[in-house]
Amino acid sequence: MDESAEQWRVRFDAEVTFGNGGGLQTRGFLLDVPAPDIDDRALADLFVRELGLLMVAEVRISGREAVREPHRGLRTAADARGTTGAGRAGERRFVELSHTVRHGMTTYPGLPGPEIGDHLSRRASRDHYAPGTEFAIGRITMVSNTGTYLDSPFHRFPDGPDLAGLPLEKLTDLDGVVVRVTGHEGRALGRESLLPHDVAGRAVLIHTGWARHWGTEEYGSGHPFLTSAAADWLVEQGAALVGIDSLNIDDTDDGARPAHTALLAAGIPIVEHLRGLEHLPPRGFRFHAVPPPVEGMGTFPVRAYALLDADR
């Protein structure tokens, strides 16, 4: 028999520690594997995905034994939870995911807030039009990192696509998935938090709950962020876009900005300062976040929103 055509399973014990406290132990768990010599880390990843375990901090594998058996072809628990009604006809509803931009507001500590005013006031416009006709032409001065905004590769790399160079298919009508980590202990969000989710080709929205601090001094420090390993995993899995409801997708104390570097180098846009992710289901929605096509600029505010069936 051709050994390359054989199918293998591994029987093992596992001890799981969760990021929000508690743990789980299994004995003699059997799992389909691509090869009998799969390493413990890859085996742990498959185990987490098979059971759909959320907020996993660590998995310790022991007592492993390779068994030559046919694969069972089971879906992961995460896939079972992820059945969606996004393709059904019927009424849809919109979920707002952007912060309102206001005069003088603080988005990022140390950056100036927007200045919003009149270029032509309604009162002044009356001199230019027929009686009873008036218009307002506004003026806004702001840094591009204001409100809920999108980072293009040009934000990090001089030869990367700028806002005008991003195709619409990277920014609109994306199948979305929410990764909920609101009970996670600590700031760093590792790849273990992402493993249960099928992120390939999807907008991956990280729900940390940090948006509750928006508009306060607390928002500007101690925020959750993705680790370098988590960002690398999202690149490997082929995420289409990554968003987070936090001050920054990186630890702002780390000048290397590894999450920005990995994602933007792979051409994956980033949306920061989201809100309202608690109103979304884990799956079954379409995500949109489109900035104006400004040449020579890497970031700009977006009107981010989700579209989902009303019964979800």
Side-chain angles (χ1 to χ4, degrees):
M1 181 177 180
D2 181 4
E3 187 171 346
S4 65
E6 293 179 349
Q7 294 183 340
W8 292 85
R9 309 179 81 199
V10 170
R11 180 181 289 111
F12 60 95
D13 300 336
E15 184 175 351
V16 183
T17 303
F18 293 102
N20 58 347
L24 172 71
Q25 291 183 332
T26 67
R27 294 290 181 265
F29 193 90
L30 269 170
L31 188 64
D32 296 347
V33 295
D37 58 351
I38 183 172
D39 63 36
D40 283 355
R41 180 174 181 178
L43 183 63
D45 289 355
L46 286 175
F47 174 71
V48 169
R49 297 200 70 177
E50 180 68 36
L51 295 185
L53 299 176
L54 301 177
M55 309 203 40
V56 172
E58 183 183 8
V59 179
R60 290 186 290 276
I61 301 293
S62 62
R64 52 179 292 161
E65 175 191 8
V67 181
R68 188 181 288 119
E69 286 185 1
H71 288 176
R72 302 301 173 90
L74 297 176
R75 293 186 305 165
T76 66
D79 289 337
R81 287 199 307 268
T83 55
T84 75
R88 297 196 303 265
E91 185 180 357
R92 299 287 187 89
R93 72 181 178 93
F94 293 87
V95 178
E96 176 68 69
L97 302 176
S98 286
H99 291 286
T100 300
V101 175
R102 294 185 172 89
H103 177 80
M105 64 180 278
T106 297
T107 297
Y108 195 98
L111 295 181
E115 299 177 8
I116 302 173
D118 290 328
H119 171 72
L120 180 68
S121 69
R122 296 185 183 278
R123 182 181 184 88
S125 75
R126 297 169 190 166
D127 296 334
H128 300 273
Y129 303 103
T133 302
E134 62 182 34
F135 294 93
I137 300 177
R139 176 191 295 272
I140 182 170
T141 302
M142 65 180 185
V143 297
S144 58
N145 292 41
T146 295
T148 302
Y149 55 80
L150 179 138
D151 295 341
S152 72
F154 183 75
H155 178 51
R156 175 67 177 81
F157 302 102
D159 56 349
D162 59 13
L163 297 172
L166 286 176
L168 283 173
E169 56 265 29
K170 283 186 171 287
L171 309 170
T172 186
D173 199 29
L174 298 172
D175 188 16
V177 56
V178 174
V179 177
R180 300 202 193 280
V181 290
T182 52
H184 187 274
E185 291 184 356
R187 300 173 54 209
L189 305 173
R191 61 196 297 277
E192 295 82 6
S193 300
L194 306 172
L195 289 174
H197 304 276
D198 182 3
V199 303
R202 293 185 167 92
V204 183
L205 309 182
I206 314 298
H207 178 206
T208 71
W210 199 251
R212 68 186 183 277
H213 299 305
W214 178 261
T216 71
E217 290 187 5
E218 189 172 358
Y219 186 80
S221 62
H223 66 282
F225 61 89
L226 289 187
T227 65
S228 177
D232 289 342
W233 187 85
L234 288 167
V235 172
E236 293 166 5
Q237 297 298 312
L241 177 149
V242 180
I244 192 167
D245 61 345
S246 179
L247 177 77
N248 201 298
I249 203 166
D250 271 302
D251 180 1
T252 52
D253 293 329
D254 185 351
R257 297 295 197 270
H260 277 88
T261 299
L263 295 171
L264 296 178
I268 301 173
I270 299 167
V271 180
E272 294 172 311
H273 309 281
L274 287 165
R275 72 172 178 93
L277 297 182
E278 65 274 14
H279 301 303
L280 295 181
R283 290 274 302 277
F285 62 91
R286 311 298 292 184
F287 179 75
H288 307 255
V290 183
V294 183
E295 288 188 352
M297 187 167 285
T299 66
F300 206 83
V302 292
R303 185 73 179 265
Y305 65 93
L307 181 63
L308 62 157
D309 290 336
D311 60 0
R312 297 187 68 83

